[in-house]
Amino acid sequence: MQHSRLVWPVAATLGEGPAWIEQALWFVDIKRGMIHRYDPASDTRDSYAVGGAPSFVVPTTAGDLLVGNGSALQRFDGATLQAPLATVAMPAHNRTNDATVDGAGRLWFCTMDDEEARPSGAVHLFDGVEIVAVGGECTITNGPAISPDGRLLYHVDTLAGTIHRFDIADDAVLRDGTLFATIDPAHGNPDGVTIDAEGCVWVGLWGGWEARRYHPDGALLERIAVPCGNVTKVAFGGPELRTGYITTARAGLSDEALAAQPLAGALFAFDAPAPGLPLPAVRIAA
C-alpha cells in the first residue's frame, strides 16, 4: 500500500470536486462555500469565499470555470460567481454534488438529498443550453466518471456502497447498468470516482482512510493510505498528469475523532501508477 503525502492542511469541512485546470488543482469546500486553488509550481494557495454550496469546478470553452452551487450552474471568473447559467428542477432539500465532462463538452453531474435521507438525487446532463435528468436515482449520488473511449459511465450509490457502469455510447440515458464493484461497509462508503488513462477506476472511501484503484474488470489493484477517515475524491495533475491529488473532509467527525486525525480536511498527493485523463471543457453556447 502506498501512503499519501500532505499538500495543504486546508481543514475543509467537506473537501470535494478536485480538478486539474490550467496547471493548477482546483477543489471546493461544499459546507463552507469555498473554492480553493493550488498551484504546485509556485506553491501558491488561493481561497475564494463564494457562498452557497459549491460542489464542483470544471473548465468551460469560454475560458472561465463552471461551478455547481446548490441548484444552479454558475460561471466563475476567478473572483466571483456570476448569475445562474442554468438551474436544476429538483426539491429544495437537494443540491448538486459530483461532476465530470465528456469529450463532446457535455457536463454530467449529480444531485443529492443534502439531508441524506431521501432517494431524490439523480444524474443530470447539461449540453450548454439545457439540463435533463438521465437516471441513476438514489439518495447520495457520486461520480459520474467516463471511460477513456467515452462509451462507459460509472455512477456511485454511496449509501448502498455500489458502483455501477452504464453504456452511454448510443444514448445519454443510464439504463441497463451492470454492477462494477461493491464496497464492504466495514471499509467505508464509496464517494467520488475518477478514471485514469488505462481505464482504471479510482474511488475515495468515506470513513475508509484510503483511495482505491480498480481494474476495468473490477479487480482491486491499488490502495492509497490517507491519514484521515473521510476520503472524498482523486484527481490527477502535474507534469503528464502523473500526480494524484486527494480531497478529504472533517464533516461528521466528533471532537475526539478530530483530535485523533488532525489532518482531516487536508489536500494530499501521491505518485500515480498511470497518468490521468485531461478534463475537457464544458461547451458553452454563445
Side-chain angles (χ1 to χ4, degrees), residues 171-218:
D171 193 358
V173 178
L174 307 192
R175 62 165 61 96
D176 301 325
T178 58
L179 181 63
F180 174 73
T182 300
I183 306 299
D184 185 331
H187 300 160
N189 290 90
D191 204 304
V193 289
T194 310
I195 309 294
D196 65 26
E198 295 181 352
C200 293
V201 179
W202 290 83
V203 60
L205 296 186
W206 183 274
W209 299 76
E210 66 182 33
R212 291 182 175 182
R213 182 186 190 224
Y214 288 87
H215 189 274
D217 67 8

Side-chain angles (χ1 to χ4, degrees), residues 79-153:
T80 58
L81 289 176
Q82 306 302 306
L85 181 64
T87 57
V88 189
M90 62 183 180
H93 52 79
N94 272 23
R95 64 166 174 81
T96 62
N97 200 30
D98 206 359
T100 194
V101 185
D102 67 19
R106 299 178 300 178
L107 174 74
W108 298 77
F109 69 96
C110 295
T111 61
M112 62 169 280
D113 177 14
D114 199 33
E115 298 170 357
E116 303 181 6
R118 290 149 292 203
S120 55
V123 178
H124 293 72
L125 182 63
F126 175 62
D127 62 3
V129 178
E130 64 178 353
I131 296 171
V132 295
V134 295
E137 292 82 2
C138 62
T139 302
I140 302 178
T141 59
N142 265 295
I146 296 175
S147 61
D149 62 6
R151 290 190 60 90
L152 303 174
L153 181 144

Side-chain angles (χ1 to χ4, degrees), residues 1 8 19 39 52 55 58 61 66 87 129-130 137 149 160 178 184 190 209 217 226 238 258 273 277 282:
M1 177 185 287
W8 185 359
D39 180 345
S55 64
V58 294
T61 53
L66 189 65
T87 57
V129 178
E130 64 178 353
E137 292 82 2
D149 62 6
T178 58
D184 185 331
W209 299 76
D217 67 8
V226 182
L258 287 171
L277 293 167
V282 177

Side-chain angles (χ1 to χ4, degrees), residues 34-73:
M34 303 290 294
I35 296 175
H36 299 295
R37 179 183 182 273
Y38 170 66
D39 180 345
S42 62
D43 199 34
T44 301
R45 301 143 192 249
D46 297 305
S47 298
Y48 309 89
V50 297
S55 64
F56 63 80
V57 181
V58 294
T60 79
T61 53
D64 56 6
L65 303 176
L66 189 65
V67 177
N69 187 17
S71 63
L73 303 181

Side-chain angles (χ1 to χ4, degrees), residues 253-262:
L253 299 177
S254 66
D255 290 343
E256 181 180 12
L258 287 171
Q261 43 184 297

